[in-house]
Amino acid sequence: MAPRKIIIDTDPGQDDAVALLLALASPDELEVLAITAVAGNVPLELTARNARTVCELARISHVPVHAGCAAPLSRRLVTAEHVHGKTGLDGADLPAPTLPLASMGAVEAIVHHVRREPPGTVTLCPLGPLTNIATALRHAPDIAERLGGIVLMGGAYFEVGNVTPAAEFNIYVDPEAAAEVFGSGIDITVLPLDATHRALITPDRLQAIAGIGTPVARAVAGWLDFYERFDLEKYGGAGGPLHDPCVIAHLLAPDLFSGRRINVEIETVSELTRGMTVADWWGVTDRPANAHFVGHVDADAFFRLLTERLARL
């Protein structure tokens, strides 16, 4: 079977960086057509830089990195340096990338690839705010019917919010963009906090990655050790959650995940619940289902997959 064609839209962030590495380590299953950067965890200048840093760490030069939207559709940008550090990739000392940014902007690149490839063959994989995706749909509504789907990290239901009591960060940063994407009619799979909070970076799992001993593994171990400190202080427990790699793992091994096809709406009006993913998990409304909302991941199998793939780089 030919590799699945994907575009990774991202705001690296340590967990985004690990997701990129997981995808780049899996060329038999995934063909990364492009990486598109968006402002989110840190400003666009840094997310575009960090995406190129990750490619160079993986010794990948053929995947273009495109810079996208520097701010949400209609709101002031909120970032998360308190989690990810000033660079977004604090925890590993890596050189500045020499790989240049692609000349084409992220939105144009998304449209270009989706139109160029056969209908139904390109999957978008957003790991950050959905600004680039919504903007692409605004500029080229025809790509909605051509996409093979969207698999994204964002939202929460039972786990509630991680940036406010009601909202997960990616959706909170640009709720208007999220509302447009969820209302687009595209086949969407959502990896929310309900799933990702089961994928905990325990000491044994972190040590297994560090024990690989390669430059990639040392960087990942440094990133995750830095990154999880915030969630360990916030949540306690056995380890901090590893969010974004769940998107790539779902593409590689969907049997590790389970959920329901339900209706998901995005709150954009209330300041109290801005960015809330109102997930009709119990089917109490008559709103039509628009997303597969994942609620569980086999965490042991997920980390085995991640560790095995990182060892390939």
Side-chain angles (χ1 to χ4, degrees), residues 18-90:
V18 177
L20 288 171
L21 291 171
L22 179 56
L24 295 172
S26 307
D28 292 341
E29 297 97 339
L30 301 174
E31 179 184 356
V32 183
L33 300 176
I35 297 168
T36 53
V38 67
N41 286 322
V42 288
L44 179 66
E45 179 182 359
L46 290 174
T47 62
R49 171 192 169 111
N50 291 348
R52 290 176 288 148
T53 296
V54 173
C55 288
E56 292 195 358
L57 176 65
R59 294 178 291 180
I60 297 293
S61 60
H62 66 278
V63 177
V65 176
H66 306 263
C69 297
L73 295 180
S74 60
R75 296 183 186 257
R76 180 183 60 86
L77 176 65
V78 175
T79 55
E81 287 89 349
H82 62 291
V83 178
H84 299 278
K86 291 181 179 179
T87 69
L89 288 184
D90 284 20

Side-chain angles (χ1 to χ4, degrees), residues 109-130:
I110 291 168
V111 174
H112 167 76
H113 284 292
V114 174
R115 284 178 171 170
R116 185 182 71 172
E117 301 293 340
T121 61
V122 176
T123 300
L124 298 183
C125 300
L127 309 178
L130 292 168

